[in-house]
């Protein structure tokens, strides 16, 4: 009797596992591709959806409400995207290019994904990783720290000529003249 | 008892002027013009590289430039004084050769006495030493000032705020230049 019960229980468990095996499971990763985020310069944000489940995910919707119109200008891509189907063991990527309009610390919140894990089941919600607070450099600060300033240094060298090269040339000319006369003598 | 007033002859006054530390008006003007110019050069770097606005920091820039110019002109003065006599000694032979060749060319060579020739040599030697020491003092001081300024501004204080960087770099560099000009080992 007990053996029968154990057998029934094991079959039931196997059935449950089998039912879950056909479900899709999506992982959303949000990533900023720029090493330096600067006001007025393009910022690339990549969203990658990995289906690590055994079934296909359907009616997949990705949305990110981080980039408000007052803070960012949308250059390319969409902050809300839809995929009909993401097969098991595959991944899809989406890139959004925005332009920060303000400098300072900005909190990059999570993106949200919703999908149907298996036919007939309810919509599943998921969230991406949280990037947290990232610094958006002002254009002035960016130029100060990261620009090469080759033209500026070149012109600085030019400004230095009258105050360094010219006095030395005059001195050297006079020195050569009188050293030569002393030798001739 | 009132102190005795030193009455110098014209020759003695000329000698004091030639070998004293005091500068002629012409030399002072040249030094101050050079000093203001070289003190104003870093404004370009602080404006374009450190992104400091000229209008917003005008007062700071004017004060910094004037303080720096004063200290650099002091450095010129000290360097010139130290170098002049050494240059005069080195140029002695060359100047003598020049004066002798000039007097030999002129018709009145017979009329010129040895004393007058020596005076001419001394005067010419002093003139050459004056010019060369001025040029070399300007070259040394400017080079030192700009090297110290670039090192302090773009190496030692690069992570500080541009305003603090400007104040410390400018005053520090010109002070170092003025300080090093007081050493007599040239």
């Amino acid at each position: 009797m007990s053996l029968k019960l154990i057998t029934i229980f094991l079959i039931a468990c196997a059935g449950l596992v089998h039912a879950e095996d056909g479900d899709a499971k999506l992982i959303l990763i949000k990533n900023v591709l720029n090493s330096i985020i600067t006001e007025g310069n393009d910022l690339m944000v990549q969203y990658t959806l990995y289906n690590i489940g055994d079934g296909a995910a359907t009616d997949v919707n990705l949305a990110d409400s981080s980039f408000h119109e007052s803070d960012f200008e949308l250059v390319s891509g969409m902050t809300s995207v839809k995929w009909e189907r993401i097969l098991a063991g595959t991944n899809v990527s989406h890139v959004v290019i925005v332009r920060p309009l303000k400098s300072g610390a900005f909190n990059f919140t999570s993106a949200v994904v919703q999908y149907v894990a298996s036919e007939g089941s309810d919509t599943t919600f998921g969230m991406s990783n949280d990037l947290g607070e990232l610094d958006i450099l002002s254009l002035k600060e960016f130029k100060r720290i990261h620009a090469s300033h080759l033209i500026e240094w070149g012109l600085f060298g030019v400004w230095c000529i009258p105050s360094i090269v010219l006095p030395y040339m005059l001195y050297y000319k006079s020195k050569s003249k009188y050293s030569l006369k002393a030798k001739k003598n | 008892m009132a102190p005795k007033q030193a009455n110098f002859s014209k020759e003695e006054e000329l000698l004091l002027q030639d070998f004293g530390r005091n500068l002629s008006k012409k030399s002072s003007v040249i030094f101050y013009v050079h000093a203001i110019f070289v003190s104003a050069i870093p404004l370009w770097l602080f404006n374009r590289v450190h992104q400091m606005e000229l209008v917003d920091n005008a007062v700071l820039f004017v004060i910094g430039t004037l303080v720096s110019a004063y200290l650099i002109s002091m450095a010129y003065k000290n360097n010139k004084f130290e170098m002049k006599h050494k240059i005069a000694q080195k140029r002695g032979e060359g100047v003598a050769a020049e004066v002798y060749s000039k007097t030999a060319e002129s018709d009145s060579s017979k009329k010129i006495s040895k004393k007058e020739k020596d005076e001419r040599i001394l005067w010419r030697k002093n003139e050459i030493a004056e010019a060369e020491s001025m040029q070399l003092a300007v070259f040394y001081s400017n080079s030192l000032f700009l090297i110290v300024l670039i090192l302090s501004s773009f190496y030692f204080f690069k992570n500080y705020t541009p305003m603090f960087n400007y104040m410390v770099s400018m005053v520090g560099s010109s002070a170092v230049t003025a300080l090093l000009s007081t050493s007599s080992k040239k």
Side-chain angles (χ1 to χ4, degrees):
Chain A
M1 183 73 181
S2 60
L3 191 69
K4 250 186 184 179
L5 282 168
I6 290 164
T7 310
I8 291 161
F9 177 73
L10 286 170
I11 290 163
C13 283
L16 278 169
V17 169
H18 189 262
E20 280 181 16
D21 275 357
D23 285 2
K25 187 170 173 65
L26 294 184
I27 290 175
L28 173 59
I29 292 171
K30 179 180 176 179
N31 199 15
V32 170
L33 300 178
N34 302 48
S35 54
I36 301 151
I37 307 167
T38 318
E39 169 198 4
N41 286 341
D42 290 356
L43 164 65
M44 293 172 80
V45 182
Q46 186 182 47
Y47 305 91
T48 311
L49 277 161
Y50 297 91
N51 188 350
I52 59 163
D54 294 316
T58 54
D59 296 326
V60 182
N61 281 293
L62 166 68
D64 193 353
S65 57
S66 295
F67 309 111
H68 199 267
E69 280 180 17
S70 61
D71 299 317
F72 294 90
E73 179 197 332
L74 191 66
V75 177
S76 172
M78 292 176 291
T79 52
S80 184
V81 212
K82 189 174 179 178
W83 288 274
E84 289 298 320
R85 196 175 192 82
I86 297 171
L87 297 170
T90 62
N91 65 72
V92 287
S93 285
H94 175 65
V95 175
V96 172
I97 300 171
V98 289
R99 194 171 289 145
L101 303 172
K102 295 171 186 172
S103 61
F106 187 82
N107 191 24
F108 287 84
T109 54
S110 303
V112 179
V113 65
Q114 58 182 80
Y115 61 97
V116 176
S118 59
E119 273 186 58
S121 66
D122 291 334
T123 303
T124 308
F125 288 88
M127 291 178 96
S128 75
N129 54 315
D130 188 3
L131 293 171
E133 208 170 71
L134 298 176
D135 247 344
I136 299 171
L137 289 178
S138 66
L139 204 60
K140 188 183 272 189
E141 193 67 13
F142 173 77
K143 279 182 179 176
R144 191 171 90 84
I145 300 165
H146 300 285
S148 63
H149 301 290
L150 287 172
I151 295 163
E152 282 84 354
W153 280 105
L155 285 166
F156 173 73
V158 171
W159 305 147
C160 288
I161 289 169
S163 58
I164 292 175
V165 180
L166 214 67
Y168 187 78
M169 275 171 66
L170 290 166
Y171 161 76
Y172 188 78
K173 191 181 173 184
S174 176
K175 182 195 168 190
S176 305
K177 181 185 173 183
Y178 289 100
S179 299
L180 197 73
K181 276 183 179 167
K183 279 177 188 174
K184 276 184 183 177
N185 204 37
Chain B
M1 195 176 171
K4 284 181 184 177
Q5 198 174 337
N7 293 319
F8 298 115
S9 66
K10 263 193 176 181
E11 283 180 353
E12 284 172 330
E13 275 179 9
L14 280 167
L15 275 168
L16 279 169
Q17 194 182 306
D18 289 344
F19 297 99
R21 207 177 257 271
N22 294 331
L23 294 171
S24 64
K25 275 187 181 178
K26 184 192 171 187
S27 298
S28 292
V29 168
I30 289 168
F31 279 169
Y32 279 114
V33 167
H34 266 286
I36 285 168
F37 182 79
V38 84
S39 299
I41 293 172
L43 294 180
W44 168 260
L45 287 180
F46 281 95
N47 174 236
R48 299 302 292 265
V49 179
H50 286 298
Q51 301 291 311
M52 284 178 82
E53 289 297 325
L54 284 172
V55 179
D56 298 347
N57 301 289
V59 175
L60 179 74
F61 283 158
V62 168
I63 293 166
T65 303
L66 292 175
V67 169
S68 180
Y70 174 73
L71 290 166
I72 290 166
S73 64
M74 256 176 65
Y76 290 160
K77 189 179 172 181
N78 293 334
N79 281 331
K80 178 188 173 287
F81 179 75
E82 295 293 342
M83 290 173 194
K84 189 177 175 180
H85 308 302
K86 287 170 188 176
I87 289 169
Q89 285 172 337
K90 285 177 185 174
R91 301 289 171 265
E93 280 183 57
V95 171
E98 183 192 48
V99 171
Y100 284 132
S101 65
K102 273 185 181 176
T103 52
E105 282 169 21
S106 63
D107 299 329
S108 58
S109 58
K110 292 168 190 174
K111 293 172 189 175
I112 297 167
S113 63
K114 192 184 185 297
K115 190 191 173 188
E116 200 179 328
K117 270 184 187 176
D118 288 343
E119 274 178 7
R120 277 192 191 184
I121 289 164
L122 189 69
W123 176 81
R124 185 75 179 129
K125 190 164 69 173
N126 184 65
E127 194 181 44
I128 298 300
E130 175 85 8
E132 280 191 27
S133 61
M134 272 174 73
Q135 288 149 7
L136 207 55
V138 168
F139 167 73
Y140 272 143
S141 304
N142 288 356
S143 302
L144 182 64
F145 168 70
L146 291 169
I147 288 163
V148 174
L149 180 105
I150 289 165
L151 281 173
S152 63
S153 177
F154 294 92
Y155 184 74
F156 298 117
F157 301 107
K158 67 172 180 180
N159 295 323
Y160 288 79
T161 60
M163 201 178 278
F164 177 81
N165 188 337
Y166 176 78
M167 287 193 300
V168 175
S169 297
M170 281 295 280
V171 177
S173 305
S174 50
V176 164
T177 307
L179 189 73
L180 292 177
S181 71
T182 57
S183 66
S184 57
K185 288 175 185 177
K186 286 246 160 31

